[in-house]
Amino acid sequence: MVSDPKRGPKSGPKNDIRLVVLDMAGTTVADGGLVERAFAAAARRLGDDPDAMLGYVRATMGESKISVFRHLFGEEMKAQEANRAFEEAYAELVDGGLVAPIPGAREAIEQLGSQGRTVVLTTGFARTTQDAILAALGWQDLVPLTLCPADAGGRGRPYPDMVLGAFLRTAAADDVRQIAVVGDTSYDMLSGVRAGAGVVAGVLTGAHDEDALRASGATQVLGSVAELPGALA
């Protein structure tokens, strides 16, 4: 059997995808740049200039938001304050009707379920924000499990914790190679690679381009999540 030291054996359970871990913002949910708008509002609330920080925010799309604020503000108390301000600002934008599903996302999730696969939705946002997005879209009962960093011990992407948390909680797969991880950022790809997922798929509807996704370990890149059921079939 030929092996790749980075990916493991090139045959076996990874060809039988049973668990699909999907990112939300940028992958299944179109938020029209709300992350940047909410970040700018949070920075201004703390008396900081958001323009000087937006480059880092864009580069770390997909990472747990509190981790981003810890890097930018240093002090834990200020990072927590910034994170609360960000979540409040984002929730206000969500309440204003400014989020929508990526075209074909709901249908893709339902089709994956009809193929016998278990789907889990993950996010780098806090639970309250994740729930607000799900409620705004009417997706509360769309999948059996949704996860945020706090549900996986507090570590979000690029750590593999949420992917492995989905693996353990659903018991849908027998082997991590039976997991597909799908997202729009380099951090999504890294979390999938570190979890040992058999499929790590990038989509081009969010923050990062194909080169960035492949450089971080994407095994394939799709135009959008709508293509995923066909790609896995």
Side-chain angles (χ1 to χ4, degrees):
M1 181 187 300
V2 178
S3 296
D4 180 332
K6 294 182 179 179
R7 302 295 301 156
K10 289 191 175 181
S11 63
K14 76 175 186 178
N15 298 314
D16 175 21
I17 299 300
R18 302 182 189 179
L19 174 63
V20 182
V21 181
L22 297 177
D23 171 52
M24 291 181 65
T27 303
T28 55
V29 180
D31 70 0
L34 297 193
V35 169
E36 291 188 21
R37 289 173 60 181
F39 170 79
R44 285 193 291 268
R45 191 176 302 181
L46 271 67
D48 288 289
D49 177 13
D51 293 338
M53 303 177 184
L54 279 174
Y56 183 79
V57 171
R58 294 185 184 114
T60 56
M61 286 290 187
E63 186 177 1
S64 171
K65 295 301 175 284
I66 185 59
S67 297
V68 174
F69 287 120
R70 284 177 179 138
H71 175 88
L72 289 171
F73 294 103
E75 299 176 10
E76 181 66 18
M77 185 176 297
K78 192 168 184 181
Q80 292 289 347
E81 183 181 357
N83 192 60
R84 284 192 296 272
F86 170 84
E87 298 286 351
E88 290 170 4
Y90 197 94
E92 290 173 2
L93 294 167
V94 170
D95 289 342
L98 297 179
V99 296
I102 293 288
R106 184 184 184 109
E107 293 79 4
I109 292 169
E110 292 173 340
Q111 188 174 352
L112 290 167
S114 70
Q115 291 174 345
R117 312 182 203 276
T118 299
V119 180
V120 174
L121 292 173
T122 63
T123 185
F125 295 133
R127 167 57 60 185
T128 53
T129 303
Q130 184 179 38
D131 286 344
I133 295 170
L134 293 169
L137 300 178
W139 283 11
Q140 299 97 320
D141 301 316
L142 183 58
V143 298
L145 180 66
T146 62
L147 295 173
C148 67
D151 300 322
R155 297 200 310 179
R157 309 177 192 103
Y159 297 102
D161 301 27
M162 286 195 291
V163 177
L164 296 176
F167 174 74
L168 293 171
R169 293 194 190 197
T170 63
D174 300 323
D175 188 306
V176 291
R177 289 172 293 171
Q178 294 170 329
I179 304 172
V181 174
V182 185
D184 66 296
T185 71
S186 297
Y187 284 83
D188 294 303
M189 303 300 97
L190 285 170
S191 70
V193 170
R194 291 174 178 181
V199 170
V200 180
V203 294
L204 299 176
T205 50
H208 295 159
D209 63 17
E210 180 169 358
D211 289 343
L213 295 169
R214 290 197 181 277
S216 295
T219 59
Q220 57 188 292
V221 176
L222 308 174
S224 82
V225 72
E227 299 173 17
L228 183 62
L232 294 181

